[in-house]
Amino acid sequence: MRELGRHPDDDAEERPALRPFPVPDAVVADQHGDRLPLQELWGQGPALLVLVPAAFSTHCTAELGALAFDVDRFDDAGVQLAALSCDPVPALRAWGEDRGYPFPLLSDFWPHGHVARSLDAFDEDLGTAQRLSLLVVDGAVRWELRGEHGRARSLRAHLEALQALG
């Protein structure tokens, strides 16, 4: 007798248990200064929240540029992309206008690094977010990627988040 809910040829490992997103009530500003409760990101479906250390930096620009180039793959999967840094709104607005990013750029500037700290992804020495990407589904983290300081995460690594949707 086969186990209910699984295809008889499915040899995939069980999915890990989901853990709640640690800052469900956080409200941040986007690059236009509009206040956005983080819950709204995944209110309509899954969201990939990509923390980056600094607007206009080489690696952060490369990471978000790759995501912007391939944004259709995330859109087709129903995943809302958003980037978050500890930069102030005017810096994110200028960066977004310069690069034409098709997703929100969120400011964790004040209280400085509140969201990044809550995610254990704040660099106290530099005062910036660390490289962390989270796929949040129904308010729970389904997939996570931590990147090294000074090294861009690859688009391929971010596309793995889509596989976590099953």
Side-chain angles (χ1 to χ4, degrees), residues 2 9 17 37 39 47 61 68 74 88 95 111 120 122 131 140 143 150 153 155 159:
R2 76 181 180 103
D9 297 327
Q39 289 178 323
T61 299
F74 293 93
W95 193 30
D120 194 28
F122 186 77
R131 295 182 191 288
W143 175 92
R153 294 158 287 187
L155 174 63
L159 289 173

Side-chain angles (χ1 to χ4, degrees), residues 31 52-65 83-85 87 89-101 103 105-106:
Q31 72 265 34
V52 294
F56 289 106
S57 68
T58 303
H59 297 308
C60 299
T61 299
E63 286 177 331
L64 296 193
L84 181 136
S85 80
D87 293 297
V89 168
L92 294 179
R93 182 180 314 120
W95 193 30
E97 289 173 0
D98 181 66
R99 296 298 172 165
Y101 295 127
F103 42 78
L105 303 177
L106 306 175

Side-chain angles (χ1 to χ4, degrees), residues 2-38:
R2 76 181 180 103
E3 188 178 341
L4 291 177
R6 296 186 63 119
H7 188 275
D9 297 327
D10 184 2
D11 61 354
E13 295 180 24
E14 291 292 325
R15 286 195 178 109
L18 303 181
R19 62 181 171 84
F21 187 70
V23 285
D25 296 330
V27 177
V28 295
D30 69 11
Q31 72 265 34
H32 306 292
D34 295 328
R35 307 291 292 165
L36 175 72
L38 287 179

Side-chain angles (χ1 to χ4, degrees), residues 31 64-65 67-72 75 80-81 96 99-105:
Q31 72 265 34
L64 296 193
L67 290 167
F69 180 79
D70 227 353
V71 72
D72 289 342
D75 287 345
Q80 167 68 54
L81 282 171
R99 296 298 172 165
Y101 295 127
F103 42 78
L105 303 177

